[in-house]
């Protein structure tokens, strides 16, 4: 199935991710979720396995591949038992691309290889306490003084933000609106940069989510990524893949929830027969399977479009909204099929239900996706 997208090399990648999960994550993941963290060394192990470099250029320590290797990796890593852990481990995938797209050679050499090797953690800082959807009106201000930018403001909800080595940070260097935004690389330890809090969340427990604070933070001008006041375009470029991968994460989580539900419905008895003996359960499972299948097919088509260099701006937003809505319904029904056990931490579907709630919020909300789709429809 899906032979038109996945070949032998994708199957081999899937196997190596599964082995990595079995050895390095599965035995500990429940403990890490309870502790609300995971060991930093996991980045190094994932780097050594080549996972952090997937899709990045070889000269900076990456392993170039096609888009379906990245899709296959994303689907498989969702099987680690914690969407938060998988997302934290993958935070480089949104922090590094702007540097590679518009950064200088020196920035690429200094900031990319250590991240792909798992020696450094890079994160993307766009969202602010005052709002995340309206990126064009962000408030964090950077004023140039000699060979430094003086940064004042804050960022919130930053994945892996509490232990990041640097933040690819969106700041306002110019006037109002999207034409006044630049990107700065702000390193941990820069005077005036602090982590103001680790945020307590509904799900993604193993992932640290930070609120960051900049007070007269002095950033060298050579850390400007791309041209001054052109940062918005680099952020938008990033969103295309981030949204596709959120859609893929959603269909992968829905598929796991479906598998768990089938297993449970086969072995759990009620009124003297297994749950699959009730037509209502079978139909629920049939609907869940249909939603999973439709999301996968759509996400793969959109990935193929991007891979062929076709415009998929609208499609990516549609795929994200479709897959995340489908996932919401599937995880809801998965908990329902599990009854009271579905509400308990020992059962995988309980975590999937909490973790997946973020899919229609992060990387652009459901409403913002619809806004983009409707604009593209030129109504
Ligand atoms: C666990 C987690 C991890 C995250 N990781 C990162 C990260 O690594 N880096 C980063 O920069 N950000 C990150 N985010 C932030 C995320 O991208 C934002 O939460 C998201 O973009 C929404 O912004 P907001 O929370 O400020 O909501 P708001 O923008 O305040 O929106 C609130 C509500 O209003 C709606 N709304 C807003 N504008 C409109 C409109 N024009 N029309 C209709 N409805 C509208 C929204 O859809 C939403 O329902 C993360 C968030 C979480 C919770």
């Amino acid at each position: 199935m899906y032979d038109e997208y996945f070949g032998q090399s994708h199957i081999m990648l899937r196997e190596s991710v599964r082995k990595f999960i079995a050895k390095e994550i599965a035995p500990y993941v429940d403990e890490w979720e309870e502790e609300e963290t995971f060991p930093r060394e996991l980045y190094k192990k994932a780097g050594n396995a080549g996972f952090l470099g997937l899709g990045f250029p070889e000269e900076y320590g990456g392993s170039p591949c096609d888009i379906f290797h990245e899709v296959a990796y994303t689907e498989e890593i969702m099987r680690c038992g914690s969407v938060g852990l998988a997302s934290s481990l993958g935070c480089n995938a949104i922090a590094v691309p702007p540097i590679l797209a518009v950064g200088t050679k020196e920035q690429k050499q200094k900031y990319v290889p250590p991240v792909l090797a798992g020696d450094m953690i890079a994160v993307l800082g766009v969202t602010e306490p005052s709002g995340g959807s309206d990126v064009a009106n962000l408030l964090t201000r950077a004023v140039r003084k000699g060979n430094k930018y003086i940064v004042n403001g804050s960022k919130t909800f930053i994945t892996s933000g509490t232990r990041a080595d640097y933040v690819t940070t969106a700041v306002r260097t110019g006037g109002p609106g999207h034409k006044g935004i630049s990107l700065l690389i702000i390193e941990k330890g820069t005077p005036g940069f602090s982590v103001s809090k680790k945020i307590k969340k509904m799900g993604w427990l193993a992932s640290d989510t930070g609120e960051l604070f900049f007070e007269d933070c002095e950033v060298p001008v050579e850390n400007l990524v791309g041209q001054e006041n052109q940062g918005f375009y680099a952020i938008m470029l990033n969103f295309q893949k981030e949204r596709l991968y959120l859609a893929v994460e959603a269909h992968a989580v829905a598929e796991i929830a479906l598998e768990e539900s089938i297993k449970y419905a086969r072995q759990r008895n009620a009124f003297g027969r297994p749950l699959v003996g009730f037509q209502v359960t079978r139909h629920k499972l049939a609907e869940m399977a249909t939603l999973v299948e439709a999301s996968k097919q759509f996400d793969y088509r959109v990935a193929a479009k991007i891979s062929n260099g076709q415009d998929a701006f609208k499609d990516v937003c549609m795929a994200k909204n479709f897959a995340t809505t489908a996932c919401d319904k599937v995880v809801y029904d998965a908990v329902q099929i599990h009854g009271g056990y579905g509400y308990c931490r020992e059962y995988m579907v309980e975590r999937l239900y909490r973790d997946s709630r973020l899919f229609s919020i992060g990387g652009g909300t459901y409403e913002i996706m619809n806004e983009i789709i409707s604009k593209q429809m030129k109504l």
Side-chain angles (χ1 to χ4, degrees), residues 94-107:
I94 51 173
V96 166
I99 300 174
L100 283 173
V102 295
T104 62
K105 193 154 180 55
E106 291 71 32
Q107 287 170 345

Side-chain angles (χ1 to χ4, degrees), residues 14 18 21 26 74-82 86 252 255-256 259 348:
R14 285 186 191 280
R18 284 187 188 208
I21 291 172
T74 306
E75 288 180 333
E76 292 305 324
I77 200 71
M78 285 300 116
R79 293 186 174 274
C80 77
S82 162
E255 187 161 44
I256 300 164
E259 289 165 8
M348 169 76 87

Side-chain angles (χ1 to χ4, degrees), residues 182-245:
S182 302
L183 287 174
L184 289 179
I185 297 170
I186 306 185
E187 289 188 33
K188 179 183 187 170
T190 308
F193 170 28
S194 59
V195 174
S196 37
K197 117 171 147 193
K198 180 174 171 178
I199 298 167
K200 289 269 186 195
K201 308 184 296 297
M202 171 199 288
W204 284 37
L205 298 186
S207 164
D208 67 291
T209 305
E211 190 166 292
L212 314 178
F213 190 57
F214 307 101
E215 189 178 22
D216 293 329
C217 175
E218 297 188 5
V219 181
V221 285
E222 56 267 25
N223 285 21
L224 174 70
V225 184
Q227 287 179 22
E228 198 174 83
N229 298 328
Q230 300 289 312
F232 189 76
Y233 305 103
I235 297 169
M236 290 301 129
L237 270 182
N238 228 17
F239 271 143
Q240 176 98 328
K241 271 205 172 170
E242 184 185 1
R243 287 170 182 164
L244 173 70
Y245 294 131

